[in-house]
Amino acid sequence: MGKLSNRRIAPTRYALNSHLTRSQPAHAKAMGRRFFLGRTAGLFWAASGLTTPIAAGAAVFKESRPIGIQKAAFFDIACQGALLLAVGERGVIARSTNAGESWTTQRLSLGRSLTSLSVTDRLCIAAGHGGLVARSTDQGASWQVLQSPDLQQLNPGQDAWLSARVDSRGRIFLTGAFGKFLVSQDQGETFKRLEVFEEGFDWHLYHLLEDRFHKAWILMGESGHLGETPSSTDILDLVKPGDAPVVFPASTMPYKGSFFGGLVTPMGSRLVYGMRGRIFRQSSPLAAWQEVSVSDPYSWMASLVLKDGRIMLLGEQGRAALSDDDGRRFTVQRLATSTLAAACQLENGNVWLAGLDGLQPAQGLSR
């Protein structure tokens, strides 16, 4: 394992407000899981700035002994048909082709944690700590670590990727620490960096949301940073040849904390959420963002629209917030014992959860 450089550390999308600040150097020993526990229970900081380069031939290999799916922390999960894929700590990748009846596990030989996963019919992308990006073209059966020179040049500090997105056109979008925002239009062979909000922007970017209802995009980050493209406007439509590619004009938000994610409801409303249980709803692209109150002030990390139309948010201490009225009101229940990072729903209706206690099917999703 490489040494930690004397630079700021980038949080995962589920981790903020610890005793470590943006400007504080990362004076810490490199621990096996590469996490540092903050003062608030369940909040973890992921150290970026790992100086060991991604070597040619970096590979994924199957463990000689299977990794128990409840023995490792998992940070993202995706469903497609009967396929389940999940990624997590120290580069672990779990895969099931029979709706979770049995699992196989692999691990990136680099051992860097994976924080985000995006799955389509033809392409799967996983990204995470140390600037790591991996690609699969066989629904997660095998993986290749991307070694594009662009990734090295555009992210020389190997800062963490906090969100990976493959859109409906097959383009790859990576957002991460210190304002990093890359796009690839050739399945990861080459990348281009986009400046967001303003030239030189260096706050962390946690989530990129494709609003297919309004054919628009929403970008979320720390300290209240949120931007929206106009309806029927693609991200790359905002890039003018010859000019600095500044996209996502900032929106005025009534909250200056961090936004970890968002979703578009079946009725076309938008929700964004993040620290301290804060949720904001926008009924249409031109409407003002309104805060939605919840009973518990726990940070929300991820979300899912269930097949019955309900909206589910996932967060700290195993909490889930459920709404059956387009996100106007939520009720909170507990689905697990520790922080939940992601969820997905199979065609058979079963919901799988990913979090600090591993992977597990959801029980008791009461109405």
Side-chain angles (χ1 to χ4, degrees):
M1 182 189 306
K3 295 181 179 179
L4 289 174
S5 61
N6 186 20
R7 55 181 286 125
R8 295 174 293 176
I9 63 175
T12 70
R13 56 185 167 148
Y14 349 104
L16 277 193
N17 205 30
S18 89
H19 63 294
L20 296 174
T21 65
R22 283 176 50 83
S23 59
Q24 192 169 2
H27 294 305
K29 293 182 179 180
M31 302 174 67
R33 290 178 59 179
R34 296 193 181 101
F35 287 104
F36 301 93
L37 181 61
R39 291 180 178 175
T40 306
L43 300 186
F44 289 82
W45 284 77
S48 69
L50 295 170
T51 56
T52 301
I54 297 176
V60 177
F61 59 90
K62 291 186 177 181
E63 294 282 344
S64 57
R65 291 183 297 176
I67 303 169
I69 60 171
Q70 294 181 349
K71 299 296 185 181
F74 285 88
F75 304 132
D76 208 354
I77 188 170
C79 301
Q80 190 170 73
L83 175 69
L84 281 160
L85 283 176
V87 297
E89 64 171 322
R90 297 179 61 193
V92 64
I93 301 171
R95 182 174 186 261
S96 172
T97 58
N98 54 10
E101 293 294 326
S102 61
W103 293 82
T104 59
T105 54
Q106 306 173 69
R107 193 188 293 278
L108 292 175
S109 59
L110 295 169
R112 299 177 185 176
S113 292
L114 295 165
T115 61
S116 186
L117 174 69
S118 187
V119 175
T120 68
D121 290 335
R122 298 182 179 181
L123 183 64
C124 305
I125 293 293
H129 298 177
L132 178 60
V133 185
R135 174 179 65 193
S136 172
T137 56
D138 56 8
Q139 295 194 309
S142 62
W143 293 81
Q144 171 194 10
V145 174
L146 296 186
Q147 298 161 10
S148 165
D150 295 337
L151 287 175
Q152 303 292 331
Q153 295 170 6
L154 298 173
N155 187 15
Q158 299 184 39
D159 291 318
W161 297 116
L162 306 176
S163 173
R165 166 75 62 183
V166 180
D167 76 350
S168 54
R169 302 185 193 183
R171 300 175 301 183
I172 302 168
F173 295 95
L174 302 173
T175 60
F178 312 119
K180 299 289 192 309
F181 188 164
L182 303 188
V183 59
S184 172
Q185 300 186 74
D186 54 13
Q187 296 196 339
E189 296 300 319
T190 61
F191 283 86
K192 179 179 180 180
R193 180 169 181 176
L194 302 181
E195 296 284 349
V196 296
F197 300 132
E198 60 187 13
E199 192 169 0
F201 177 87
D202 69 348
W203 295 84
H204 307 316
L205 299 173
Y206 290 111
H207 189 69
L208 178 66
L209 173 64
E210 183 179 7
D211 180 354
R212 298 184 183 182
F213 197 98
H214 300 102
K215 298 180 180 179
W217 295 80
I218 304 174
L219 180 64
M220 288 151 269
E222 65 175 330
S223 298
H225 286 101
L226 184 143
E228 310 165 61
T229 66
S231 295
S232 300
T233 302
D234 185 65
I235 294 176
L236 301 185
D237 291 343
L238 299 177
V239 179
K240 299 179 180 179
D243 296 336
V246 178
V247 299
F248 285 102
S251 299
T252 301
M253 296 298 292
Y255 173 63
K256 297 304 179 184
S258 293
F259 296 111
F260 294 147
L263 61 78
V264 179
T265 73
M267 298 180 65
S269 300
R270 296 163 165 178
L271 293 175
V272 296
Y273 49 83
M275 287 181 64
R276 303 186 183 96
R278 307 301 285 269
I279 306 169
F280 291 86
R281 179 178 181 271
Q282 187 186 49
S283 59
S284 65
L286 297 179
W289 290 92
Q290 302 291 333
E291 185 164 9
V292 179
S293 63
V294 290
S295 57
D296 293 348
Y298 294 101
S299 295
W300 302 113
M301 316 302 184
S303 58
L304 178 67
V305 177
L306 299 172
K307 292 185 182 300
D308 62 10
R310 287 183 295 167
I311 298 162
M312 181 170 69
L313 307 184
L314 302 166
E316 291 180 280
Q317 297 188 22
R319 296 302 202 277
L322 291 146
S323 171
D324 59 6
D325 62 357
D326 200 48
R328 294 178 177 86
R329 291 178 295 273
F330 285 86
T331 57
V332 177
Q333 63 183 96
R334 195 165 189 176
L335 298 181
T337 58
S338 64
T339 295
L340 295 170
C344 70
Q345 188 172 26
L346 292 160
E347 289 183 351
N348 63 13
N350 292 341
V351 174
W352 276 82
L353 307 172
L356 298 185
D357 283 340
L359 305 176
Q360 57 186 302
Q363 305 291 337
L365 278 177
S366 59
R367 294 192 66 87

